[in-house]
Amino acid sequence: MESFWFLGSTISQDLKWETHIDSILKKAQKRLYFLRQLRKFNLPQELLTWFYSAVIESVLCTSITVLFGSATKSDRRRLQWVVQTAERIIGAPLPTLQDLYSSRVRKRPGKIISDTSHPGHNLLELLPSGQRLRALTTTTIRPKNSFCPQAVSLISSELSSRNDDHSPCRSLSLNISKTF
């Protein structure tokens, strides 16, 4: 299988994330070794958690908004295995990759909406009603699991749950950018 390294991501010829996830797992496993060593030196859980967040979670979350939605179930399980291993080493609960993905998907659209020069700005526009974002239509599963459709459905569901504020479309878009 042909693949190449571009801007920190391994891109395969078939545009699947398996090779990139393999490289992420290799990095994370190497860093788990250092977490185990720190645990042997009896560092407090708080410091071990900080180390995990800075050194291991940062590797796991590289491109998470792009790859997590289109990753296979087995690839997601392999990534989550790293988190579970770190939990056992630290002895404290850690956020799941699904939680990390959701929080990042909530934050990113606000930045895109507020930046009119962003290439994805037009993909995240409110409907005239101001209560939902315009949904992107696709015919296959893979694009539906990508970032923009996931962000649109997440934000639209949050906007519809805030129906008690009947403000115009413009103020909703400002609220989106402040919230996210």
Side-chain angles (χ1 to χ4, degrees), residues 116-130:
T116 57
S117 65
H118 192 282
H121 178 74
N122 293 336
L123 297 174
L124 299 172
E125 64 182 354
L126 287 165
L127 291 171
S129 68

Side-chain angles (χ1 to χ4, degrees), residues 143-174:
K144 286 180 183 177
N145 292 333
S146 65
F147 169 73
C148 280
Q150 291 290 320
V152 165
S153 65
L154 182 66
I155 292 172
S156 292
S157 67
E158 289 181 4
L159 283 176
S160 64
S161 69
R162 295 183 198 166
N163 269 343
D164 54 0
D165 179 23
H166 296 290
S167 54
C169 182
R170 176 183 281 161
S171 65
L172 273 175
S173 68
L174 291 174

Side-chain angles (χ1 to χ4, degrees), residues 11-165:
I11 300 174
S12 65
Q13 188 175 10
D14 59 359
L15 297 177
K16 293 192 179 175
W17 290 106
E18 187 175 352
T19 54
H20 182 65
I21 289 172
D22 288 342
S23 66
I24 287 174
L25 287 170
K26 284 181 184 179
K27 283 183 192 176
Q29 288 171 351
K30 289 176 185 177
R31 294 168 187 209
L32 281 172
Y33 168 79
F34 294 110
L35 184 64
R36 286 185 186 98
Q37 294 304 311
L38 292 173
R39 179 68 180 175
K40 285 182 185 178
F41 291 118
N42 295 321
L43 262 63
Q45 275 186 349
E46 185 179 7
L47 288 176
L48 293 173
T49 305
W50 286 352
F51 178 84
Y52 165 79
S53 295
V55 177
I56 300 170
E57 187 178 285
S58 63
V59 169
L60 292 175
C61 291
T62 302
S63 309
I64 194 168
T65 56
V66 177
L67 73 87
F68 195 77
S70 58
T72 64
K73 206 175 219 180
S74 65
D75 286 339
R76 288 181 186 184
R77 262 190 257 122
R78 293 186 317 149
L79 290 168
Q80 187 60 38
W81 173 86
V82 174
V83 176
Q84 292 168 345
T85 302
E87 280 180 334
R88 284 192 301 273
I89 294 168
I90 295 171
L94 298 170
T96 64
L97 283 177
Q98 181 65 46
D99 294 340
L100 295 170
Y101 170 70
S102 296
S103 70
R104 282 170 171 77
V105 167
R106 281 188 187 92
K107 290 177 188 176
R108 178 65 59 194
K111 295 176 184 175
I112 294 172
I113 289 170
S114 63
D115 182 9
T116 57
S117 65
H118 192 282
H121 178 74
N122 293 336
L123 297 174
L124 299 172
E125 64 182 354
L126 287 165
L127 291 171
S129 68
Q131 296 180 3
R132 293 181 48 129
L133 288 172
R134 185 174 310 278
L136 305 171
T137 56
T138 62
T139 56
T140 60
I141 298 286
R142 193 167 183 183
K144 286 180 183 177
N145 292 333
S146 65
F147 169 73
C148 280
Q150 291 290 320
V152 165
S153 65
L154 182 66
I155 292 172
S156 292
S157 67
E158 289 181 4
L159 283 176
S160 64
S161 69
R162 295 183 198 166
N163 269 343
D164 54 0
D165 179 23

